Amino acid sequence: MTQHHPCDGTRRRLLKGATTTALMALLPGAFWSLSAGARPGPDFNEPLPPGIVEKGSSVYDFREHRLTSADGQRHYRITVAIPKKEPPEAGYTPIYLLDGNAALATLDEQHLKAMDNATPPVLVALGYDTDARFDVEARQWDYTPKRPDQAPIVNDRHPERRGGGADDFIKLLNDTIMAEAERDLPINTSARALWGHSFGGLFVLHALFTRPALFDHWYAASPTLHWNGYQVIEEANRFQWPSDHPGSALLMRGDAELNHRGPYSSGGSDREINDQLRALAQRMDRVAGFDARFEVLEGMGHGAALAHSLKLTLSNVSGARL
């Protein structure tokens, strides 16, 4: 069922030229792990305080859509933030935000006003129907891929946390969520963007490498590259970009993520992991029609990288300084 709640009250510019570092071998060579840091801390399960949707905004309206996965196991709350400002001639840029509950919790009215003073995008927060920041079990299924014919991937310490449903979520996103979120809105369909952090960042890369026509601009923060034996790197080896329009990707990660047991606690040092991401961006940047770069989020741990990467992404999309 869809519920609409109006509440009271690009442009993307990626510069070529990734940092020059010797290109590292990115072929799978390590086992995947499900470290403790790959999941949100217990405090993330506490109810969120009222945020921008509940308080309302002078520059954005909000509407919500609720739906359930095909197997009935996951329940979604999709929040669409619509600028009150008149759209550009080409339409609003829509940016889809994974972990939508957490994403909205990082934004306040000042951020929305800053975007309103520039070129405000439509925000589509892909959240779960919970008052918590995350639905840990649901996101692990939705955001993580598995290989064809592979069984669901089970976290031995937490068997209720299965992985491997990313392709199902891509189908739901493509077949249902995007049409419902954008219904009756003037949308620039040549400028759709997707942002995700951690498992969400992994999902961004998996979708980019396997369904590149789904979005135009891709923002992956702290992606869990080592998941399932570096599956996403295998997919990167086959990456091709449609030649009829330009695309871009921005990869981001903090340089202090392991200090707080980020998702790479079994995947090398911060420098080694960031060099992997830099090398991946360099490879992607060589694909015809596609711009890619990697940016280190200096001094940022894993949790801080979520908020910082989101604000950097929204600044990039809107032209505002957040």
Side-chain angles (χ1 to χ4, degrees), residues 250-289:
L250 175 59
L251 279 55
M252 299 162 277
R253 186 178 180 276
D255 60 1
E257 298 212 9
L258 298 186
N259 293 344
H260 303 288
R261 300 173 67 199
Y264 290 102
S265 57
S266 297
S269 69
D270 279 313
R271 180 173 179 177
E272 290 167 338
I273 296 162
N274 286 353
D275 282 347
Q276 284 185 321
L277 284 169
R278 182 178 292 107
L280 178 59
Q282 289 172 335
R283 288 176 55 187
M284 294 161 63
D285 195 56
R286 294 198 294 268
V287 173

Tab-separated table of all heavy atoms in Angstrom, residues 250-289:
chain	number	residue	atom	x	y	z
A	250	LEU	N	31.819	7.825	-7.871
A	250	LEU	CA	32.697	8.331	-6.828
A	250	LEU	C	32.771	7.280	-5.739
A	250	LEU	O	31.754	6.912	-5.138
A	250	LEU	CB	32.162	9.649	-6.260
A	250	LEU	CG	32.928	10.235	-5.076
A	250	LEU	CD1	34.380	10.509	-5.428
A	250	LEU	CD2	32.242	11.512	-4.574
A	251	LEU	N	33.974	6.763	-5.496
A	251	LEU	CA	34.226	5.805	-4.422
A	251	LEU	C	34.850	6.557	-3.262
A	251	LEU	O	35.737	7.402	-3.472
A	251	LEU	CB	35.156	4.688	-4.894
A	251	LEU	CG	34.552	3.530	-5.691
A	251	LEU	CD1	33.783	4.004	-6.908
A	251	LEU	CD2	35.632	2.541	-6.106
A	252	MET	N	34.415	6.256	-2.049
A	252	MET	CA	34.875	6.977	-0.863
A	252	MET	C	35.117	5.992	0.266
A	252	MET	O	34.440	4.979	0.383
A	252	MET	CB	33.819	8.000	-0.417
A	252	MET	CG	33.492	9.073	-1.432
A	252	MET	SD	31.895	9.914	-1.071
A	252	MET	CE	30.736	8.747	-1.808
A	253	ARG	N	36.092	6.321	1.114
A	253	ARG	CA	36.314	5.522	2.317
A	253	ARG	C	37.182	6.314	3.283
A	253	ARG	O	38.085	7.037	2.872
A	253	ARG	CB	36.982	4.183	1.997
A	253	ARG	CG	37.107	3.259	3.219
A	253	ARG	CD	37.721	1.914	2.861
A	253	ARG	NE	37.830	1.066	4.044
A	253	ARG	CZ	38.828	1.102	4.912
A	253	ARG	NH1	39.838	1.952	4.729
A	253	ARG	NH2	38.831	0.313	5.963
A	254	GLY	N	36.925	6.184	4.573
A	254	GLY	CA	37.735	6.842	5.582
A	254	GLY	C	39.097	6.196	5.718
A	254	GLY	O	39.310	5.048	5.321
A	255	ASP	N	40.048	6.935	6.299
A	255	ASP	CA	41.381	6.379	6.515
A	255	ASP	C	41.573	5.932	7.956
A	255	ASP	O	42.679	5.604	8.374
A	255	ASP	CB	42.457	7.386	6.114
A	255	ASP	CG	42.399	8.684	6.903
A	255	ASP	OD1	41.521	8.807	7.791
A	255	ASP	OD2	43.223	9.577	6.650
A	256	ALA	N	40.474	5.885	8.730
A	256	ALA	CA	40.562	5.421	10.121
A	256	ALA	C	39.425	4.457	10.431
A	256	ALA	O	38.972	4.352	11.566
A	256	ALA	CB	40.510	6.613	11.077
A	257	GLU	N	38.975	3.733	9.425
A	257	GLU	CA	37.799	2.879	9.618
A	257	GLU	C	38.091	1.681	10.505
A	257	GLU	O	37.226	1.217	11.243
A	257	GLU	CB	37.251	2.425	8.262
A	257	GLU	CG	36.783	3.578	7.396
A	257	GLU	CD	35.615	3.214	6.501
A	257	GLU	OE1	35.042	2.122	6.649
A	257	GLU	OE2	35.275	4.053	5.640
A	258	LEU	N	39.306	1.161	10.441
A	258	LEU	CA	39.615	-0.024	11.229
A	258	LEU	C	39.759	0.281	12.714
A	258	LEU	O	39.738	-0.622	13.543
A	258	LEU	CB	40.886	-0.696	10.708
A	258	LEU	CG	40.798	-1.193	9.262
A	258	LEU	CD1	42.051	-1.971	8.889
A	258	LEU	CD2	39.572	-2.050	9.042
A	259	ASN	N	39.894	1.564	13.048
A	259	ASN	CA	39.959	1.936	14.461
A	259	ASN	C	38.678	1.583	15.196
A	259	ASN	O	38.661	1.443	16.415
A	259	ASN	CB	40.214	3.441	14.605
A	259	ASN	CG	41.589	3.836	14.111
A	259	ASN	OD1	42.452	2.994	13.939
A	259	ASN	ND2	41.781	5.123	13.876
A	260	HIS	N	37.598	1.475	14.436
A	260	HIS	CA	36.298	1.180	15.037
A	260	HIS	C	35.709	-0.087	14.446
A	260	HIS	O	34.508	-0.207	14.287
A	260	HIS	CB	35.347	2.364	14.842
A	260	HIS	CG	35.883	3.644	15.407
A	260	HIS	ND1	35.960	3.879	16.751
A	260	HIS	CD2	36.411	4.740	14.801
A	260	HIS	CE1	36.492	5.074	16.969
A	260	HIS	NE2	36.786	5.609	15.806
A	261	ARG	N	36.575	-1.029	14.081
A	261	ARG	CA	36.157	-2.345	13.634
A	261	ARG	C	35.190	-2.240	12.462
A	261	ARG	O	34.072	-2.734	12.497
A	261	ARG	CB	35.514	-3.114	14.785
A	261	ARG	CG	36.427	-3.324	15.975
A	261	ARG	CD	35.687	-3.927	17.145
A	261	ARG	NE	35.262	-5.274	16.846
A	261	ARG	CZ	34.295	-5.915	17.509
A	261	ARG	NH1	33.637	-5.287	18.475
A	261	ARG	NH2	33.973	-7.148	17.202
A	262	GLY	N	35.639	-1.560	11.418
A	262	GLY	CA	34.839	-1.467	10.212
A	262	GLY	C	34.724	-2.804	9.522
A	262	GLY	O	35.207	-3.821	10.001
A	263	PRO	N	34.076	-2.859	8.356
A	263	PRO	CA	33.774	-4.135	7.723
A	263	PRO	C	34.987	-4.823	7.139
A	263	PRO	O	34.875	-5.914	6.597
A	263	PRO	CB	32.785	-3.749	6.625
A	263	PRO	CG	33.154	-2.351	6.285
A	263	PRO	CD	33.560	-1.736	7.591
A	264	TYR	N	36.168	-4.209	7.239
A	264	TYR	CA	37.375	-4.798	6.675
A	264	TYR	C	38.328	-5.295	7.763
A	264	TYR	O	39.518	-5.371	7.547
A	264	TYR	CB	38.109	-3.775	5.809
A	264	TYR	CG	37.396	-3.438	4.542
A	264	TYR	CD1	36.684	-2.262	4.418
A	264	TYR	CD2	37.431	-4.303	3.465
A	264	TYR	CE1	36.029	-1.946	3.249
A	264	TYR	CE2	36.774	-3.999	2.294
A	264	TYR	CZ	36.073	-2.818	2.180
A	264	TYR	OH	35.426	-2.519	1.014
A	265	SER	N	37.822	-5.666	8.913
A	265	SER	CA	38.726	-6.036	9.987
A	265	SER	C	39.524	-7.288	9.654
A	265	SER	O	40.514	-7.578	10.310
A	265	SER	CB	37.954	-6.237	11.297
A	265	SER	OG	36.945	-7.198	11.145
A	266	SER	N	39.136	-8.029	8.614
A	266	SER	CA	39.925	-9.165	8.145
A	266	SER	C	40.456	-8.919	6.732
A	266	SER	O	40.862	-9.848	6.054
A	266	SER	CB	39.087	-10.442	8.167
A	266	SER	OG	38.694	-10.763	9.472
A	267	GLY	N	40.430	-7.659	6.285
A	267	GLY	CA	40.739	-7.390	4.892
A	267	GLY	C	41.959	-6.543	4.642
A	267	GLY	O	42.109	-5.998	3.559
A	268	GLY	N	42.867	-6.388	5.612
A	268	GLY	CA	44.060	-5.599	5.379
A	268	GLY	C	44.030	-4.302	6.151
A	268	GLY	O	43.099	-4.006	6.883
A	269	SER	N	45.086	-3.506	5.968
A	269	SER	CA	45.164	-2.209	6.639
A	269	SER	C	44.302	-1.201	5.903
A	269	SER	O	43.887	-1.400	4.763
A	269	SER	CB	46.608	-1.730	6.669
A	269	SER	OG	47.035	-1.403	5.346
A	270	ASP	N	44.053	-0.059	6.575
A	270	ASP	CA	43.301	1.011	5.912
A	270	ASP	C	43.979	1.427	4.612
A	270	ASP	O	43.306	1.647	3.599
A	270	ASP	CB	43.169	2.219	6.845
A	270	ASP	CG	42.050	2.052	7.857
A	270	ASP	OD1	40.950	1.653	7.457
A	270	ASP	OD2	42.284	2.315	9.048
A	271	ARG	N	45.300	1.561	4.644
A	271	ARG	CA	46.001	1.993	3.431
A	271	ARG	C	45.849	0.973	2.312
A	271	ARG	O	45.601	1.345	1.152
A	271	ARG	CB	47.481	2.220	3.742
A	271	ARG	CG	48.276	2.666	2.523
A	271	ARG	CD	49.694	3.048	2.892
A	271	ARG	NE	50.442	3.457	1.703
A	271	ARG	CZ	51.687	3.907	1.726
A	271	ARG	NH1	52.319	4.016	2.887
A	271	ARG	NH2	52.293	4.251	0.622
A	272	GLU	N	45.977	-0.319	2.645
A	272	GLU	CA	45.850	-1.352	1.614
A	272	GLU	C	44.446	-1.369	1.013
A	272	GLU	O	44.276	-1.495	-0.198
A	272	GLU	CB	46.185	-2.719	2.210
A	272	GLU	CG	47.654	-2.896	2.537
A	272	GLU	CD	47.906	-4.119	3.394
A	272	GLU	OE1	46.973	-4.595	4.073
A	272	GLU	OE2	49.050	-4.601	3.388
A	273	ILE	N	43.442	-1.240	1.866
A	273	ILE	CA	42.064	-1.263	1.382
A	273	ILE	C	41.783	-0.038	0.514
A	273	ILE	O	41.164	-0.130	-0.556
A	273	ILE	CB	41.092	-1.326	2.570
A	273	ILE	CG1	41.285	-2.648	3.322
A	273	ILE	CG2	39.653	-1.199	2.102
A	273	ILE	CD1	40.715	-2.638	4.721
A	274	ASN	N	42.241	1.135	0.953
A	274	ASN	CA	42.022	2.339	0.164
A	274	ASN	C	42.786	2.290	-1.149
A	274	ASN	O	42.316	2.817	-2.173
A	274	ASN	CB	42.391	3.577	0.979
A	274	ASN	CG	41.362	3.885	2.045
A	274	ASN	OD1	40.309	3.260	2.100
A	274	ASN	ND2	41.650	4.840	2.911
A	275	ASP	N	43.950	1.657	-1.167
A	275	ASP	CA	44.664	1.477	-2.431
A	275	ASP	C	43.880	0.565	-3.379
A	275	ASP	O	43.882	0.773	-4.593
A	275	ASP	CB	46.056	0.896	-2.181
A	275	ASP	CG	47.062	1.935	-1.689
A	275	ASP	OD1	46.746	3.148	-1.771
A	275	ASP	OD2	48.149	1.546	-1.232
A	276	GLN	N	43.211	-0.439	-2.824
A	276	GLN	CA	42.359	-1.287	-3.653
A	276	GLN	C	41.252	-0.470	-4.304
A	276	GLN	O	40.977	-0.606	-5.504
A	276	GLN	CB	41.752	-2.417	-2.825
A	276	GLN	CG	42.683	-3.554	-2.481
A	276	GLN	CD	41.942	-4.662	-1.758
A	276	GLN	OE1	41.070	-4.401	-0.930
A	276	GLN	NE2	42.272	-5.895	-2.072
A	277	LEU	N	40.601	0.365	-3.502
A	277	LEU	CA	39.513	1.181	-4.035
A	277	LEU	C	40.018	2.193	-5.054
A	277	LEU	O	39.373	2.453	-6.078
A	277	LEU	CB	38.784	1.886	-2.893
A	277	LEU	CG	37.851	1.005	-2.073
A	277	LEU	CD1	37.404	1.732	-0.809
A	277	LEU	CD2	36.634	0.608	-2.904
A	278	ARG	N	41.174	2.781	-4.787
A	278	ARG	CA	41.758	3.727	-5.732
A	278	ARG	C	42.062	3.039	-7.069
A	278	ARG	O	41.784	3.572	-8.143
A	278	ARG	CB	43.024	4.347	-5.142
A	278	ARG	CG	43.680	5.384	-6.064
A	278	ARG	CD	44.904	5.999	-5.414
A	278	ARG	NE	44.542	6.831	-4.272
A	278	ARG	CZ	44.742	6.507	-3.013
A	278	ARG	NH1	45.319	5.342	-2.703
A	278	ARG	NH2	44.388	7.325	-2.036
A	279	ALA	N	42.627	1.841	-6.987
A	279	ALA	CA	42.940	1.097	-8.198
A	279	ALA	C	41.671	0.724	-8.957
A	279	ALA	O	41.640	0.769	-10.200
A	279	ALA	CB	43.739	-0.156	-7.851
A	280	LEU	N	40.620	0.361	-8.222
A	280	LEU	CA	39.355	0.047	-8.880
A	280	LEU	C	38.804	1.273	-9.599
A	280	LEU	O	38.341	1.182	-10.747
A	280	LEU	CB	38.350	-0.464	-7.845
A	280	LEU	CG	36.951	-0.799	-8.368
A	280	LEU	CD1	37.012	-1.873	-9.454
A	280	LEU	CD2	36.051	-1.250	-7.212
A	281	ALA	N	38.857	2.432	-8.947
A	281	ALA	CA	38.385	3.661	-9.591
A	281	ALA	C	39.201	3.976	-10.844
A	281	ALA	O	38.654	4.425	-11.857
A	281	ALA	CB	38.444	4.828	-8.608
A	282	GLN	N	40.510	3.747	-10.798
A	282	GLN	CA	41.350	3.997	-11.966
A	282	GLN	C	40.955	3.085	-13.125
A	282	GLN	O	40.918	3.514	-14.283
A	282	GLN	CB	42.814	3.794	-11.598
A	282	GLN	CG	43.371	4.877	-10.686
A	282	GLN	CD	44.769	4.568	-10.182
A	282	GLN	OE1	45.179	3.404	-10.095
A	282	GLN	NE2	45.519	5.604	-9.834
A	283	ARG	N	40.660	1.838	-12.818
A	283	ARG	CA	40.224	0.919	-13.865
A	283	ARG	C	38.914	1.368	-14.468
A	283	ARG	O	38.735	1.376	-15.694
A	283	ARG	CB	40.067	-0.489	-13.294
A	283	ARG	CG	41.361	-1.177	-12.965
A	283	ARG	CD	41.111	-2.521	-12.320
A	283	ARG	NE	40.265	-3.384	-13.128
A	283	ARG	CZ	39.791	-4.554	-12.715
A	283	ARG	NH1	40.063	-4.984	-11.487
A	283	ARG	NH2	39.053	-5.284	-13.500
A	284	MET	N	37.970	1.755	-13.631
A	284	MET	CA	36.664	2.204	-14.102
A	284	MET	C	36.785	3.476	-14.928
A	284	MET	O	36.048	3.684	-15.901
A	284	MET	CB	35.736	2.426	-12.908
A	284	MET	CG	35.400	1.154	-12.147
A	284	MET	SD	34.772	1.486	-10.478
A	284	MET	CE	33.278	2.386	-10.845
A	285	ASP	N	37.717	4.338	-14.550
A	285	ASP	CA	37.893	5.614	-15.242
A	285	ASP	C	38.375	5.416	-16.678
A	285	ASP	O	38.231	6.322	-17.511
A	285	ASP	CB	38.891	6.479	-14.458
A	285	ASP	CG	38.868	7.932	-14.892
A	285	ASP	OD1	37.776	8.538	-14.854
A	285	ASP	OD2	39.922	8.447	-15.281
A	286	ARG	N	38.955	4.265	-16.977
A	286	ARG	CA	39.423	3.997	-18.335
A	286	ARG	C	38.323	3.474	-19.256
A	286	ARG	O	38.539	3.339	-20.455
A	286	ARG	CB	40.577	2.987	-18.287
A	286	ARG	CG	41.830	3.518	-17.606
A	286	ARG	CD	43.052	2.685	-17.975
A	286	ARG	NE	42.947	1.335	-17.464
A	286	ARG	CZ	43.427	0.937	-16.285
A	286	ARG	NH1	44.026	1.827	-15.483
A	286	ARG	NH2	43.304	-0.311	-15.881
A	287	VAL	N	37.144	3.192	-18.701
A	287	VAL	CA	36.030	2.719	-19.517
A	287	VAL	C	35.458	3.892	-20.307
A	287	VAL	O	35.230	4.970	-19.762
A	287	VAL	CB	34.946	2.075	-18.634
A	287	VAL	CG1	33.706	1.719	-19.438
A	287	VAL	CG2	35.499	0.835	-17.943
A	288	ALA	N	35.242	3.695	-21.582
A	288	ALA	CA	34.759	4.769	-22.456
A	288	ALA	C	33.433	5.335	-21.952
A	288	ALA	O	32.512	4.584	-21.607
A	288	ALA	CB	34.589	4.239	-23.878
A	289	GLY	N	33.348	6.663	-21.888
A	289	GLY	CA	32.122	7.338	-21.487
A	289	GLY	C	31.883	7.400	-19.996
A	289	GLY	O	30.819	7.863	-19.560
